[in-house]
Amino acid sequence: MGRVYNFSAGPAVLPEEVLKKAQEDMLDYNGCGMSVMEMSHRSKMFDDIIKNAEANIRKLMNIPDGYTVLFLQGGASLQFSAIPMNLAKNGTADYIITGQWAKKAALEAEKFIKVNRPASSEDETFSYIPDCSDLNISDDADYVYICENNTIYGTKYHTLPNTQGKDLVADVSSCFLSEPVDISKYAVIYGGVQKNVGPAGLVIDIIRNDLIRDDVMEKTPTMLKWKTQADNASLYNTPNCWAIYICGLVFEHLLNNGGLEGAKKRNEEKAKILYDFLDSSKLFKGTVRKDSRSLMNVPFVTGDDELDKKFVAEAKENGMENLKGHRTVGGMRASIYNAMPKEGVEKLVTFMEDFEKKNLK
Ligand SMILES: *Cc1c(COP(=O)(O)O)cnc(C)c1O
């Protein structure tokens, strides 16, 4: 079987060019006679790989000098603990609840600090982003936390919250590198890379330098203290060398294809094809309020569970995989990350049109 169109929410599709380059390098990276997986993380070769990766993500995202980039392990979920441990001063933070990932992050933080929840969209199954222009932000909040793109529900902030001067911390796991961002608006921006950037098991943190401190919460594990990682250039212990290498290839690939402006343009084009169809369909319905739609994750339903199942099964037979919605939402979800080709979305929509003709009662 050849390659399928993989609509998985994560781990997810990677650029074919990058996979081929990795294949080429597999046995002998750059003439050194071994693969990246086999080399010392203290070697000159790996030092070049990680330094290049950092330089390239800085270029791509236009990261100002006053921010540190860390390549860490434990995925986005371990940062749910690291964030309160590193940022707590007053011991209070405000979490805006727009889905399962924000909820989990808030619950984890609550083990260590006081958590307020100034807004939530749980009342309508997280199908929209609440108005965050005038929130009741706690006076003593050390930071305001958001999950910027909600992978499960398919919502995205189109305007960042008014934090009333408080530091903003954002989980961007599922919209990482999907469009340009103004880093200076954030105190911390971080994401697990397996949604839109690389293989699972690596999380990238971009942290304003003044927040990398020694006076973190008492008994913060050494590995979770950002200063440990920053002082050691992400090499305090053995990092996920392979994932860093693949991310580096993805950064280069994006830089060679118009940077994040280029990515945004392609992502908007792809999402429009699917949303336009959903808006005109008599069978399928998007589940997200229009002003909150994500360019990356597109959930939709027919309103009939059996028909949804049939759709997912028949799509798979036609080379389109992982279209089943998250177990907490049901229906379908098409994740159309950077590396999903436009042809994949076109094929999906053609298939949906055909399915609608056959199944519309
Ligand atoms: C997948 C995901 C996570 C969890 O990532 P892990 O790397 O598995 O911990 C966190 N936040 C968002 C928005 C996600 O999509």
Side-chain angles (χ1 to χ4, degrees):
M1 193 165 94
R3 281 176 62 78
V4 299
Y5 287 120
N6 178 11
F7 293 93
S8 169
V13 58
L14 287 170
E16 209 163 293
E17 233 178 275
V18 165
L19 296 176
K20 284 190 174 140
K21 176 76 173 83
Q23 184 178 41
E24 228 174 77
D25 289 350
M26 183 62 82
L27 297 185
D28 178 5
Y29 175 77
N30 224 0
C32 76
M34 62 180 93
S35 84
V36 174
M37 275 178 272
E38 300 168 295
M39 63 179 62
S40 165
H41 59 297
R42 310 274 175 212
S43 64
K44 169 82 173 72
M45 260 123 27
F46 188 73
D47 192 55
D48 286 347
I49 289 174
I50 192 167
K51 289 216 170 92
N52 269 327
E54 178 174 342
N56 283 336
I57 193 177
R58 284 188 172 278
K59 206 184 295 173
L60 254 185
M61 294 185 80
N62 203 7
I63 300 175
D65 285 343
Y67 286 75
T68 294
V69 177
L70 299 178
F71 297 97
L72 306 175
Q73 299 187 65
S77 300
L78 196 54
Q79 295 305 304
F80 295 172
S81 330
I83 287 161
M85 288 178 162
N86 284 275
L87 296 182
K89 278 185 182 159
N90 300 325
T92 296
D94 288 5
Y95 279 67
I96 301 173
I97 308 299
T98 51
Q100 295 299 335
W101 293 118
K103 241 175 140 168
K104 280 190 179 170
L107 276 175
E108 187 65 17
E110 220 158 32
K111 291 185 174 173
F112 310 107
I113 59 173
K114 181 169 183 295
V115 169
N116 300 307
R117 294 169 176 78
S120 164
S121 52
E122 190 157 20
D123 59 338
E124 291 179 35
T125 347
F126 299 119
S127 58
Y128 69 102
I129 297 292
D131 177 1
C132 296
S133 57
D134 188 22
L135 296 174
N136 190 12
I137 301 291
S138 314
D139 285 337
D140 60 347
D142 291 318
Y143 59 94
V144 174
Y145 182 100
I146 62 168
C147 178
E148 191 160 335
N149 186 83
N150 295 277
T151 326
I152 297 173
Y153 304 93
T155 61
K156 160 123 205 290
Y157 284 80
H158 294 295
T159 315
L160 292 175
N162 173 5
T163 63
Q164 292 159 31
K166 305 293 184 195
D167 281 339
L168 179 65
V169 176
D171 173 358
V172 297
S173 295
S174 50
C175 59
F176 223 164
L177 308 184
S178 64
E179 56 184 298
V181 286
D182 179 354
I183 300 283
S184 68
K185 291 185 172 156
Y186 303 81
V188 178
I189 180 165
Y190 79 101
V193 302
Q194 75 275 24
K195 307 292 161 64
N196 206 20
V197 188
L202 179 70
V203 53
I204 300 177
D205 281 21
I206 301 161
I207 307 168
R208 211 179 56 221
N209 289 345
D210 62 290
L211 300 170
I212 297 181
R213 315 175 311 192
D214 255 322
D215 58 332
V216 297
M217 188 177 288
E218 214 181 317
K219 296 196 177 166
T220 296
T222 310
M223 284 280 291
L224 288 186
K225 185 170 156 182
W226 291 334
K227 186 146 193 323
T228 309
Q229 302 288 357
D231 286 349
N232 290 281
S234 303
L235 295 167
Y236 172 74
N237 72 331
T238 321
N240 187 336
C241 299
W242 177 255
I244 293 167
Y245 155 72
I246 298 286
C247 286
L249 293 181
V250 170
F251 302 154
E252 270 177 38
H253 175 77
L254 285 167
L255 284 168
N256 291 336
N257 286 278
L260 298 190
E261 288 292 347
K264 179 180 189 205
K265 190 166 166 281
R266 290 187 296 274
N267 289 329
E268 283 175 344
E269 254 175 46
K270 286 185 287 177
K272 186 174 187 313
I273 296 170
L274 186 48
Y275 283 125
D276 280 353
F277 172 71
L278 287 172
D279 289 342
S280 68
S281 170
K282 292 190 176 62
L283 180 65
F284 298 99
K285 190 173 156 289
T287 56
V288 171
R289 208 168 78 184
K290 282 190 189 176
D291 65 6
S292 305
R293 283 173 167 175
S294 163
L295 291 179
M296 300 280 97
N297 312 97
V298 184
F300 56 93
V301 294
T302 64
D304 174 342
D305 287 349
E306 286 310 308
L307 208 51
D308 287 351
K309 266 190 209 144
K310 185 173 173 208
F311 177 84
V312 171
E314 287 182 12
K316 185 173 160 74
E317 281 165 26
N318 283 276
M320 289 166 283
E321 297 220 9
N322 293 314
L323 281 161
K324 189 170 181 293
H326 189 268
R327 57 195 146 77
T328 59
V329 185
M332 281 73 72
R333 170 179 51 174
S335 293
I336 50 174
Y337 295 121
N338 282 349
M340 172 57 64
K342 186 174 166 192
E343 295 73 42
V345 181
E346 286 168 344
K347 180 169 171 175
L348 173 64
V349 167
T350 304
F351 177 74
M352 288 167 81
E353 284 166 347
D354 191 48
F355 189 89
E356 175 166 333
K357 274 187 207 117
K358 286 180 185 146
N359 292 280
L360 191 64
K361 292 183 190 104

